[in-house]
Amino acid sequence: MLAPILTIARYTLLEALRSRMLWVLAVIALAALGLSGFLHAVALTESRQIQAALLAALLRLSAVFLIATFVVTSMAREAHDKGSELLLALPLPRAAYLLGKLGGFCLLALLPALPFGALGLFFAPPAQAALWCTSLLCELWLVAGFALLCMFTLNHVLPALAATLGFYLLARSVAALQLIGQHSGAADAGQRAIAAGMDLLALVLPTLDQFTRSEWLVYHDGSWLQLALVLGQTAIYLLLLAAAALFDLYRKEF
């Protein structure tokens, strides 16, 4: 079973390389460097910190959007060309197909994570840049896993991409929304219900606000314990996402 998984992962990565993704990443990196450099030049105080924070945010958001878009459009194109049906007609388990695609997308996440993490060396010591780079890779793996699940479930590009980006934004902001709900003072029944909903969402969503923190590049305060928590969450949620996608794939009739 390992051989077909590796083959599918390899061709998934080749598809990304042939779609000029490296050129897109280079343009994104140059644009982010140019914009952050402009702010560094015009800022009156803490210009270097502002430059590092803006660069980290731009690179993280660009990488997430790029990975989510590629996963969704790649799966849609394969379904339209009947490539997925051809692969599933071969004498191999459906789990091999899913794990091969997921493995390919996880390898693909290395393409933005490694060079973007290397840019962090301009602002932080190597250990802090390595923390930021590894955490970005974990964040991209979760986005890729959720996008893959959405494509198996929703089957269309726009709903799958909207659901993936909605998941990402909610997981990034749910801690802040939860905090606002807890400190809103006297609240009516509707506000308490919303606060309870935020608490429930915080229980089931990964705490992406603790991933790839810009402070690690700005103030160099990241720790290996924080990275261990990030790795633990990534392993748990990636396993759950793969199991859900596998359940959906096995119940489908082609």
Side-chain angles (χ1 to χ4, degrees), residues 216-234:
W216 298 347
L217 298 183
V218 177
Y219 302 113
H220 314 157
D221 58 353
S223 68
W224 295 109
L225 176 60
Q226 289 174 296
L227 182 62
L229 295 175
V230 166
L231 291 173
Q233 283 198 62
T234 303

Side-chain angles (χ1 to χ4, degrees), residues 14 45 69 77 98 221 239 245 252:
L14 284 176
T45 61
T69 304
R77 182 170 54 252
L98 183 136
D221 58 353
L239 187 61
K252 283 182 180 295

Side-chain angles (χ1 to χ4, degrees), residues 27-48:
V27 170
I28 290 173
L30 289 174
L33 282 173
L35 183 57
S36 63
F38 171 74
L39 283 183
H40 172 72
V42 300
L44 297 178
T45 61
E46 297 186 333
S47 57
R48 188 166 179 80

Side-chain angles (χ1 to χ4, degrees), residues 100-120:
K101 298 302 291 186
L102 185 59
F105 294 136
C106 287
L107 288 174
L108 172 66
L110 288 167
L111 296 182
L114 291 180
F116 289 178
L119 291 178

Side-chain angles (χ1 to χ4, degrees), residues 49-105:
Q49 286 83 354
I50 291 173
Q51 183 184 13
L54 180 67
L55 183 71
L58 286 175
L59 293 178
R60 186 181 65 241
L61 291 176
S62 301
V64 166
F65 180 76
L66 199 61
I67 290 296
T69 304
F70 180 81
V71 172
V72 169
T73 56
S74 171
M75 294 300 296
R77 182 170 54 252
E78 191 168 278
H80 183 266
D81 296 340
K82 306 297 182 185
S84 55
E85 293 184 20
L86 178 63
L87 286 172
L88 292 172
L90 297 175
L92 57 88
R94 292 188 179 189
Y97 171 73
L98 183 136
L99 293 177
K101 298 302 291 186
L102 185 59
F105 294 136

